[in-house]
Amino acid sequence: MRVLVVGGGGREHALCWKIKASPLCDALLCAPGNPGIAEVATCVPVGAEDIDGLVKLAQDERIDFVVVGPEAPLVAGLVDRLSAAGIKSFGPTKTAAQLEGSKGFTKDLLAKYNIPTGAYGRFKDAASAKKFIAEKGAPIVVKADGLAAGKGVILCQTVNEANDAIDSIMTARAFGAAGNEVVVEEFLYGEEASFFVLVDGKTALPLAAAQDHKAVGDGDTGPNTGGMGAYSPTPVVDAAMHARIMREIVAPTVDGMAKEGTPFKGVLFVGLMIGEDGPKVIEFNARFGDPECEVLMMRLKSDLLPALIATADGQLSNFDLRWHDQVALTVIMAAEGYPGTPRKGTVIAGLNDAAKIEGAMIFHAGTKDDGGKIVANGGRVLAVTAVGKTVREAQTRAYQAVDKVKWPEGFCRRDIGWRAVAREKA
Ligand code: AMP
Ligand code: GLY
């Protein structure tokens, strides 16, 4: 079968690497891809948000199956457009992608189906949002309703900060139309985890849980990023917690979406806060996490492609997946300036040596081929990944690989996996 993967980050490199290994895959294309992906797929210069261009590419190339990586094309309706053109794809429809595309939609669904999450209010005007903030007090969380490239969530320690956040989102329009509406939410305490399930509209097949590291600096300090590193499995989601998440969160969400007439198909990414009173939903995403996907793909033993096809076909019941009995851990190497304006065009060397470290795999996230040299071309540039018997071993190997990368203008956190390593020692 001829497969097209949409996207060009570390997540899509991991997906392409795994799909390429499938005996079902006869040809693999990626739009737009990156130099790492080019080692396993034919990269085509069509942007991940160019919906018309992607549909035309899939038609011209006689693609049998499209796997959509990022959220923007899902929320823009790529899956609906491909389906209208008779092309099968992995990912939710535009309406179902509202689980990621509209925080208000998600909060209302969670409330209606009694799914655990923080208390909240939805507001279309600044005055009523501020009134709610005054009633609830701080700390409190202010969120732009729509997609804001991971930046639309503001954690406010004081009422003044929260009022400023409302002004910046609703009046100064810091995130454009994403701020037509806001969600103001209770501040949740606990440990975060990312939980992934394949959903075929009615059946949910759990993949695995991972833990991301959102803050840019060691010890979880500094501004939030798209994610500076991840590992899987994570001890905070043990077998009992896994069962609880499936029962209390995933099952009612999948049923609720079907009952609302918007069945969800694709990968459901449950962003969780696990506190003293159990798991609560922070957010849903309608796609794989990045960098969580990199560690999931390293751990997955089974062929990924049939699972993605079964998801699209509504055939997940009785489907089974096997996992390597190993921990995978990934360290993001980012360009100077990230998460602000990253410096582009600096040369990266040593990648072949890094890949020789036992258990290591280097996924490209934001790179470009500049006349045979690999240069930085984004904020998050490499996802340096390794497997090991323990978190500690995977971490040691990943940092050995990081240290082989010759890129003075890049940086990374040195403590990815610290929570789990501390637990292993205990
Ligand atoms: P989101 O984009 O919704 O994942 O939010 C980004 C980050 O903000 C999350 O990963 C959490 O660290 C934090 N966050 C979001 N909502 C809350 C909340 N209600 N309480 C505490 N932290 C939150
Ligand atoms: N790593 C978090 C995300 O993909 O949203």
Side-chain angles (χ1 to χ4, degrees), residues 103 107 118-119 140-141 143 150-155 185-189 192 212 214 224-225 269 271-273 281-285:
K103 297 198 191 296
K107 294 299 282 189
I140 197 156
V141 183
K143 303 185 173 185
K151 293 183 180 132
V153 173
I154 306 174
L155 307 178
E185 193 180 81
E186 172 193 356
F187 197 99
L188 300 172
Y189 295 92
E192 281 185 61
D212 191 9
K214 296 249 178 199
N224 267 358
T225 68
F269 168 169
L272 291 162
M273 187 69 85
V281 176
I282 297 182
E283 61 161 358
F284 285 127
N285 294 308

Side-chain angles (χ1 to χ4, degrees), residues 163-228:
N163 287 336
D164 289 349
I166 296 291
D167 288 336
S168 119
I169 294 173
M170 304 197 91
T171 316
R173 318 286 294 166
F175 309 111
N180 287 347
E181 194 178 321
V182 292
V183 166
V184 181
E185 193 180 81
E186 172 193 356
F187 197 99
L188 300 172
Y189 295 92
E191 188 166 334
E192 281 185 61
S194 309
F195 191 87
F196 296 88
V197 264
L198 293 178
V199 181
D200 70 358
K202 47 191 191 301
T203 302
L205 175 68
L207 294 172
Q211 196 163 47
D212 191 9
H213 298 64
K214 296 249 178 199
V216 73
D218 283 17
D220 295 328
T221 53
N224 267 358
T225 68
M228 292 300 290

